[in-house]
Amino acid sequence: MISQEVFARTLFKAYQERIQLEPFEVDMATAKKIFNVFSSMLVQSEGFGGYKISLTTEETLKRFGSTEPLYGILTKPMIELSEEIELWFNNHMAEVEIVFNMDHCTPDTYPSCVKEVFLGIELPATRFNTWKLQAAQILADDSAAGRLYVGEKIELPFEDEVELYVNGNKVGKGRPTYIYGNVDNMVKWLMRRVGYLSGYVSSGVFVGPVNVKKGDKLRVKSQTKDYEVSLV
C-alpha cells in the first residue's frame, strides 16, 4: 500500500514542475493525512500566505460528493495583487469570493482582527488531469489551491449582486450566501477547524466556478465595484 507521504511527495512534485497527474483513489481519512503532509511541504517551500475555503454552496458540495466544506492552505506566491495573473496549471477555475486580510483572528476577536476585506477572484487549480474528482481527492490536493487575486476593497456587510464575465460574456451572478448563511459564519467555521486565522483568507465561492484558461479576461461587476483582470 502506498503511504500518504508518497502521495504527498507526488503532489508536491507535480506542483513544483506544473505537471498533471492521473487521479488516485483515496478515502477521506487518508486524504486528510496527505493534505497535512502536502500543505506542510508547500509552506516550508514557499511560506504561509493564508487559507481558502472550498465547497461552500449546495451546488459545489453536490458536484464533488461532500457533506461539508473543505479548506486548503495558500502559500505566499499563490496570492496575487497585480491585475495580470499567471495561471500555473492546465485545469483552473474562476470563482468570485470575499477575501479577508486577517491578524490572528479567533471567534472572540472577530471582526476587530480583520485588517481589510476585498471582493476577489480565486483561481483554484488541480494537480490532477481532470475536475471529475471526489471531495477526498480535492482535499488531498490542498483543496485545489492555485492562485488568489485579492481584488478591490469593500466594507462589510457586502450584499451586492455580483456578475462575473469571461471575455465579455456573463457566466454567472449571485450574492454572498453560503451553506452556513453569511460570510461571517464561513470564516468562523474555519476558525473552529484551525484555531485562529492570519494572512489572506478566501471565504468561498458565491459566483462560479467556471473553467478558465490563459488569455481569458475576467470582469467582476456589482453596484459598487467594477474591475477586470487578465489571465496569462
Side-chain angles (χ1 to χ4, degrees):
M1 183 177 174
I2 301 175
S3 72
Q4 55 258 25
E5 287 81 7
V6 172
F7 280 130
R9 283 198 297 272
T10 301
L11 286 164
F12 184 62
K13 185 172 187 287
Y15 176 86
Q16 287 186 307
E17 298 180 4
R18 311 296 194 231
I19 58 176
Q20 293 183 304
L21 303 172
E22 287 287 336
F24 49 74
E25 292 300 318
V26 63
D27 60 34
M28 191 58 84
T30 305
K32 289 177 181 177
K33 295 174 182 176
I34 296 169
F35 160 71
N36 287 335
V37 178
F38 177 36
S39 61
S40 295
M41 290 175 172
L42 289 170
V43 170
Q44 187 172 7
S45 173
E46 298 186 342
F48 175 79
Y51 294 93
K52 57 160 290 181
I53 309 178
S54 298
L55 313 187
T56 54
T57 65
E58 291 290 352
E59 175 194 350
T60 52
L61 284 170
K62 184 177 180 181
R63 176 174 179 173
F64 295 107
S66 186
T67 57
E68 66 171 359
L70 307 173
Y71 73 87
I73 304 294
L74 299 173
T75 67
K76 288 181 177 179
M78 291 179 186
I79 296 161
E80 184 61 75
L81 303 178
S82 165
E83 292 171 358
E84 273 199 354
I85 307 156
E86 184 181 3
L87 297 186
W88 292 344
F89 302 96
N90 285 348
N91 290 315
H92 274 275
M93 292 184 180
E95 305 174 346
V96 180
E97 308 201 5
I98 291 177
V99 179
F100 294 80
N101 186 3
M102 294 184 163
D103 182 14
H104 209 283
C105 278
T106 67
D108 292 334
T109 61
Y110 180 84
S112 61
C113 56
V114 176
K115 295 179 179 179
E116 297 169 305
V117 187
F118 305 85
L119 181 65
I121 303 171
E122 194 205 345
L123 296 150
T126 176
R127 267 49 69 182
F128 297 118
N129 60 11
T130 177
W131 281 112
K132 293 179 180 177
L133 301 167
Q134 291 300 303
Q137 294 164 315
I138 296 280
L139 176 60
D141 188 22
D142 191 21
S143 293
R147 307 303 314 277
L148 175 64
Y149 175 67
V150 171
E152 294 197 357
K153 287 185 185 180
I154 57 172
E155 299 292 330
L156 294 181
F158 181 82
E159 297 174 348
D160 288 10
E161 182 175 80
V162 181
E163 297 173 340
L164 175 62
Y165 294 80
V166 178
N167 302 325
N169 300 310
K170 185 164 75 172
V171 294
K173 65 178 182 178
R175 299 178 190 274
T177 56
Y178 312 85
I179 56 162
Y180 297 147
N182 62 23
V183 71
D184 298 321
N185 292 339
M186 291 312 309
V187 294
K188 287 176 181 176
W189 171 87
L190 182 54
M191 288 173 200
R192 290 193 293 272
R193 292 294 185 280
V194 301
Y196 69 90
L197 298 177
S198 287
Y200 288 99
V201 178
S202 194
S203 59
V205 57
F206 69 91
V207 182
V210 296
N211 292 316
V212 291
K213 64 187 184 306
K214 288 177 183 284
D216 286 345
K217 295 191 181 303
L218 308 185
R219 181 185 181 192
V220 171
K221 179 185 177 185
S222 75
Q223 291 108 306
T224 57
K225 296 294 170 184
D226 192 344
Y227 67 79
E228 291 188 353
V229 298
S230 299
L231 308 182
V232 297

